[in-house]
Amino acid sequence: MGLRKPEPLQGNSPREVTYVRVFGDFFTQCLLSKVWSLRQVAAAVLQVIVDENIPFLKAFIKHHKLTPGEFFFLASEAMLELIDDRVALVFEQVSETLESLYSILWQDERQQRKRSYPVIVRLCRKLSRALNTKVMTDALDLLMFFASKDFCGPPFVSGIVVRELRKVLKTRASAQTILGILSAYEMMLEEFGLVTDELIPPGEEQALTIIQGCTLAVELMKSRHDEVREAGADLGT
């Protein structure tokens, strides 16, 4: 059985024109398709372009008259098109492609960290509503990947996780929503440790401070949900 033929593009929107110019009609049609297997193909094709080899990648970028930073921006934007996909297999491929893409330092660390921000935020939001265990695992793994990279690091990623967690705590969110994001915080705490001296800034292997952790635990224990209060108590001990 072959792949279904992708639907024609709907119009000449700026994003479609840009994707077509760099990646071609078929890739763009797959990327924006209503058929999940074609969206998965688009993410896989991009991973092949990135992973093929350095000479191939350099030639691809040069052929399309892009700088490495411009290619990185377009490729990351393409994956942001799919990061909220509800199909687990599509998200699995998107996660693998993003890891390949962000494993290369395309520009200075500050700019690469800036491009990581929307990905990390979307991953937190995915954790807040994911019902599929595989999706949760892939999202957590990708967050840990970003935390392990020098251009991000544990303090940067955990800071975003805590902000997103506090946002949902201010709403009437379900326990599942809160605990989904909290799982990322707990995993980072276990992996990267805690700063016990407030006078020492977080280092390479340190993600959170005691004051931050205790404050978050108190906020969790104010929740209307028993499970969240219990999680807060566990965090504070």
Side-chain angles (χ1 to χ4, degrees):
M1 293 178 61
L3 284 173
R4 288 180 57 178
K5 185 177 179 180
E7 312 95 294
L9 296 173
Q10 295 301 309
N12 292 317
S13 69
R15 67 172 183 160
E16 286 184 7
V17 171
T18 302
Y19 289 146
V20 168
R21 181 176 70 83
V22 176
F23 299 113
D25 287 311
F26 181 74
F27 173 91
T28 306
Q29 289 173 321
C30 289
L31 179 70
L32 305 177
S33 176
K34 295 178 181 178
V35 180
W36 72 263
S37 58
L38 293 176
R39 299 194 300 273
Q40 183 185 31
V41 164
V45 167
L46 182 56
Q47 185 179 21
V48 169
I49 292 172
V50 173
D51 284 349
E52 181 68 19
N53 57 59
I54 295 299
F56 173 84
L57 184 57
K58 285 183 176 179
F60 183 92
I61 293 171
K62 183 178 180 181
H63 174 74
H64 292 287
K65 299 179 181 178
L66 300 170
T67 66
E70 288 170 338
F71 172 83
F72 172 62
F73 176 84
L74 287 174
S76 58
E77 281 294 298
M79 289 303 93
L80 282 173
E81 299 270 4
L82 299 180
I83 199 168
D84 294 325
D85 205 292
R86 292 171 180 255
V87 179
L89 288 174
V90 176
F91 180 65
E92 178 183 24
Q93 180 59 63
V94 169
S95 299
E96 293 175 4
T97 302
L98 282 168
E99 189 166 327
S100 292
L101 185 63
Y102 280 84
S103 291
I104 299 171
L105 189 62
W106 298 93
Q107 47 201 170
D108 67 79
E109 291 191 353
R110 182 179 62 85
Q111 289 298 321
Q112 188 125 332
R113 182 168 56 251
K114 184 178 179 180
R115 288 300 303 161
S116 303
Y117 180 85
V119 179
I120 296 167
V121 169
R122 301 277 277 278
L123 289 172
C124 290
R125 293 173 184 173
K126 202 164 191 76
L127 288 173
S128 74
R129 58 179 182 267
L131 300 175
N132 185 295
T133 302
K134 182 67 169 65
V135 170
M136 293 284 286
T137 300
D138 288 340
L140 286 169
D141 286 348
L142 193 53
L143 281 170
M144 295 300 287
F145 163 79
F146 280 110
S148 72
K149 305 304 290 184
D150 289 340
F151 61 83
C152 279
F156 177 75
V157 177
S158 64
I160 298 172
V161 171
V162 170
R163 284 195 294 274
E164 291 299 312
L165 184 54
R166 284 180 169 145
K167 285 180 185 178
V168 299
L169 283 171
K170 292 178 182 178
T171 70
R172 293 188 63 80
S174 67
Q176 183 183 44
T177 292
I178 298 168
L179 295 175
I181 303 176
L182 180 62
S183 65
Y185 181 92
E186 292 171 330
M187 181 173 285
M188 295 188 68
L189 186 62
E190 180 178 350
E191 179 69 20
F192 298 108
L194 196 67
V195 177
T196 56
D197 186 343
E198 288 297 318
L199 298 177
I200 301 175
E204 185 178 352
E205 300 301 327
Q206 299 168 319
L208 304 168
T209 66
I210 275 188
I211 288 179
Q212 183 186 47
C214 289
T215 301
L216 184 58
V218 170
E219 293 174 18
L220 290 167
M221 285 189 282
K222 293 178 181 178
S223 171
R224 63 193 176 94
H225 301 294
D226 292 340
E227 310 98 298
V228 176
R229 292 197 298 272
E230 290 173 7
D234 289 342
L235 184 65
T237 58

